[in-house]
Amino acid sequence: MRKTVFLNNDREMPLLGLGVYKTADSEAETAISAAVNAGYRMIDTASVYKNEESVGKAIAKCSVPRKDLFITSKIWNTAQRLGDIEGAFYRSLDRLKLDYVDLYLIHWPVPGCYTGTWKSMEKILDSGRALSIGVSNFQIYHLEELKKISGIVPAVNQIECHPLCYPKELIEYCRDEGIQVQAYAPLARGAYFDHDVMCVLATKYARTPAQIGLRWAIQKGISVIPKSVNPDRIASNGDIFDFNIEEEDMAIIDTLNEDFHSSHVPDDLKDVIF
């Protein structure tokens, strides 16, 4: 199976990456080094994670050429409300010590802001300092609003997705529109590791429940960015490209959806979206 997917602007993105949400500065460099050594080529960070500087240091130290890495960052809600899109982007670049990022995302669809943010993102794309632009946590109606004001289709919609949270309608919409789905929290913080079905399938395929959950996603063409700071787990999470889950088992996993979210909507958005 391919280890990459093509985005709608003909750029390749890995199906597997390392998420560094809530990864402390002291842990980020170690985790990224372990991930790169295990074959990962995509690192996902964000301004609100407060670790872009450490991510940049790890990138500079790793033995893989910059052109072979795929680096993602995101703009936070505060900068959207202030209309400081380009300023926030260039501060992220400065912290990362990079000339460009491969993907820049709107972290959340802040009401009254996200369409204007997208227009500013178009300028960032035109500058060549972000090779692709996309969104995160957008529902269908948010994407429809972007369609009304822009001819540029988001390259990626990053959403929570795992066996217990499978927003099928949104995923199918994104596929129809040429938007690549990327799953954050694909391990649901361990919430499905003890599920009977996942344990039975793990035994059947001689894998861990985590590997079954990640393989289920990438077999659907969904990119995944599992977070870990443990080198052994990072390596294990990446060991998902040498087996296939049978179609009947994929269908069984699909039925586990219970709209369970291991992440949460930021406090400043709880009353206005979702």
Side-chain angles (χ1 to χ4, degrees):
M1 180 180 177
R2 286 182 60 88
K3 293 185 178 183
T4 62
V5 290
F6 278 97
L7 303 179
N8 59 22
N9 61 345
D10 292 328
R11 295 197 57 82
E12 275 189 283
M13 182 177 78
L15 276 167
L16 172 72
L18 179 73
V20 295
Y21 173 62
K22 287 191 174 179
T23 300
D25 282 345
S26 59
E27 298 173 318
E29 290 187 51
T30 300
I32 290 170
S33 176
V36 169
N37 290 338
Y40 291 61
R41 293 297 178 263
M42 177 164 58
I43 309 297
D44 178 274
T45 186
S47 61
V48 77
Y49 298 170
K50 307 297 183 186
N51 57 19
E52 287 174 311
E53 289 184 358
S54 292
V55 170
K57 289 176 183 176
I59 292 168
K61 289 179 181 178
C62 85
S63 58
V64 176
R66 170 66 185 96
K67 65 181 180 62
D68 294 331
L69 297 173
F70 193 102
I71 310 301
T72 299
S73 193
K74 313 176 192 76
I75 185 164
W76 186 241
N77 305 342
T78 307
Q80 290 193 66
R81 292 190 176 97
L82 294 172
D84 187 25
I85 314 309
E86 293 183 62
F89 171 72
Y90 284 107
R91 287 192 294 276
S92 283
L93 274 190
D94 184 60
R95 288 189 291 267
L96 288 163
K97 295 294 185 284
L98 296 177
D99 294 328
Y100 68 94
V101 292
D102 297 270
L103 179 64
Y104 196 54
L105 304 178
I106 301 178
H107 208 147
W108 287 89
V110 177
C113 297
Y114 67 87
T115 54
T117 299
W118 187 251
K119 297 304 289 185
S120 295
M121 298 273 281
E122 292 179 349
K123 296 177 184 177
I124 292 171
L125 180 66
D126 287 342
S127 75
R129 305 298 293 276
L131 303 185
S132 300
I133 56 174
V135 297
S136 180
N137 298 298
F138 274 48
Q139 301 300 311
I140 292 173
Y141 62 92
H142 299 122
L143 296 167
E144 284 289 305
E145 289 299 307
L146 290 191
K147 194 192 295 190
K148 292 176 184 177
I149 58 98
S150 176
I152 297 178
V153 178
V156 169
N157 186 16
Q158 190 183 103
I159 59 174
E160 179 163 0
C161 180
H162 47 73
L164 302 181
C165 180
Y166 178 38
K168 188 176 181 180
E169 183 181 1
L170 174 59
I171 290 169
E172 290 178 351
Y173 172 90
C174 288
R175 285 179 178 153
D176 289 344
E177 296 293 323
I179 302 168
Q180 174 64 43
V181 174
Q182 185 171 67
Y184 71 78
L187 300 177
R189 300 181 185 178
Y192 60 79
F193 291 179
D194 294 326
H195 194 289
D196 289 347
V197 168
M198 299 300 286
C199 291
V200 168
L201 291 176
T203 299
K204 175 178 178 177
Y205 292 97
R207 300 286 169 158
T208 66
Q211 289 170 328
I212 296 297
L214 294 173
R215 180 67 201 183
W216 167 82
I218 66 165
Q219 233 169 272
K220 291 179 175 292
I222 297 170
S223 175
V224 294
I225 46 171
K227 178 242 174 147
S228 178
V229 296
N230 181 298
D232 290 338
R233 288 199 200 100
I234 289 170
S236 177
N237 291 341
D239 188 19
I240 53 176
F241 290 98
D242 61 348
F243 75 105
N244 280 292
I245 300 173
E246 296 171 5
E247 284 306 309
E248 55 266 34
D249 292 333
M250 290 286 288
I252 291 171
I253 297 173
D254 289 356
T255 69
L256 303 184
N257 176 46
E258 55 186 58
D259 197 29
F260 169 79
H261 289 263
S262 63
S263 60
H264 68 279
V265 175
D267 290 340
D268 63 342
L269 293 178
K270 281 181 178 176
D271 297 330
V272 290
I273 61 173
F274 307 103

